[in-house]
Amino acid sequence: VVFPVKDFAPATTSSGKFFSVKSFFMGFYNNLLGMVGFVKYRRNAKRNWEERQEYEELIERLTLEKRQKRQAEWKQRQNSNSKLVP
């Protein structure tokens, strides 16, 4: 099966038409919006980071308290067992 193909030449545009004043200002506006979005995103990320750090400090503190309680109970058991040994 043979399909006829038409000759096709892509339309060329000069760079003068591509880089118009409007496209320049639209690019500037797009970059400005991107920077504003980046600042907003960064603020939220910083809050999230601080919350995570507070939570990790809480976990560390609770873990330390639990470890100290466990060690105190172990020492208490050791002291009570040493009294039983003649």
Side-chain angles (χ1 to χ4, degrees), residues 17-31:
K17 290 182 182 179
F18 180 73
F19 294 110
S20 67
V21 175
K22 181 181 177 184
S23 70
F24 176 79
F25 284 114
M26 291 302 289
F28 179 79
Y29 178 71
N30 186 28
N31 288 340

Side-chain angles (χ1 to χ4, degrees), residues 51-66:
E51 289 175 6
R52 286 174 41 207
Q53 291 303 311
E54 289 173 5
Y55 185 69
E56 287 190 18
E57 289 171 4
L58 174 66
I59 290 173
E60 185 179 358
R61 185 173 47 86
L62 293 175
T63 304
L64 180 63
E65 289 174 2
K66 189 175 180 179

Side-chain angles (χ1 to χ4, degrees), residues 9-81:
T12 58
T13 57
S14 70
S15 62
K17 290 182 182 179
F18 180 73
F19 294 110
S20 67
V21 175
K22 181 181 177 184
S23 70
F24 176 79
F25 284 114
M26 291 302 289
F28 179 79
Y29 178 71
N30 186 28
N31 288 340
L32 186 66
L33 285 180
M35 288 187 280
V36 169
F38 179 77
V39 169
K40 288 173 116 179
Y41 176 78
R42 184 68 190 126
R43 284 183 186 161
N44 291 337
K46 184 177 180 182
R47 281 189 219 121
N48 184 20
W49 171 256
E50 290 169 353
E51 289 175 6
R52 286 174 41 207
Q53 291 303 311
E54 289 173 5
Y55 185 69
E56 287 190 18
E57 289 171 4
L58 174 66
I59 290 173
E60 185 179 358
R61 185 173 47 86
L62 293 175
T63 304
L64 180 63
E65 289 174 2
K66 189 175 180 179
R67 183 184 305 141
Q68 289 173 345
K69 181 180 175 185
R70 189 180 303 140
Q71 287 176 347
E73 290 173 356
W74 185 79
K75 285 181 182 180
Q76 186 179 13
R77 274 192 245 127
Q78 290 293 332
N79 288 336
S80 64
N81 288 340

